[in-house]
Amino acid sequence: MDFDDDSGEFSRLHNLFTFHLGIAVTLSWLTSLYAALYAPWVRNIRPLIDPTNVGTVESTWSYLFIFPVVLTAAWLISVFGQNLFARFRIMRSQAAEFAIAALVAFAMFYLSIDRAVAAMLIGM
């Protein structure tokens, strides 16, 4: 495989990844903003969700919006850093690199939705 084939495969995978990450970012923000309408605005939301947890104080803002902010930052870095990512490789297989990135992004998306749903359930 020569450089042109390699860069074509990277572009295809990168475009597919950034498109789906953009959808995940949008859904994450919409769900968190919707949950913000129902969430009680307290200084420590965790004991409301899990009464056995009396841990550190965390505001509703950081509880709901930290993962959408991180996903947005990752999406922007992915979109604007395409040329840098094309040159920087960790593994031999680009598909494996994108699969790992997709798993991490999905885990963050899942945690974002999970927190939003938990906030919605205590607000209803």
Side-chain angles (χ1 to χ4, degrees):
M1 189 185 311
D2 63 354
F3 181 74
D4 290 335
D5 291 339
D6 201 30
S7 65
E9 179 70 10
F10 175 82
S11 292
R12 186 184 69 78
L13 289 171
H14 184 267
N15 291 339
L16 190 64
F17 176 76
T18 53
F19 174 75
H20 286 94
L21 184 58
I23 291 172
V25 167
T26 304
L27 290 174
S28 177
W29 273 107
L30 290 175
T31 308
S32 294
L33 289 170
Y34 186 75
L37 296 174
Y38 293 102
W41 295 101
V42 295
R43 193 67 190 139
N44 190 358
I45 195 171
R46 287 190 184 267
L48 293 174
I49 296 170
D50 182 15
T52 62
N53 184 356
V54 291
T56 61
V57 174
E58 185 174 5
S59 71
T60 306
W61 286 98
S62 65
Y63 184 80
L64 284 178
F65 298 118
I66 188 65
F67 286 116
V69 167
V70 171
L71 281 171
T72 302
W75 180 67
L76 290 172
I77 290 169
S78 176
V79 168
F80 293 114
Q82 179 177 4
N83 292 332
L84 177 69
F85 290 134
R87 292 186 197 113
F88 182 71
R89 294 183 72 175
I90 297 173
M91 305 171 82
R92 288 181 181 243
S93 171
Q94 289 179 350
E97 286 181 358
F98 280 104
I100 291 169
L103 286 174
V104 170
F106 181 76
M108 294 190 68
F109 172 71
Y110 176 80
L111 290 172
S112 172
I113 300 298
D114 185 54
R115 284 181 169 212
V117 168
M120 281 189 276
L121 290 176
I122 63 168
M124 292 183 174

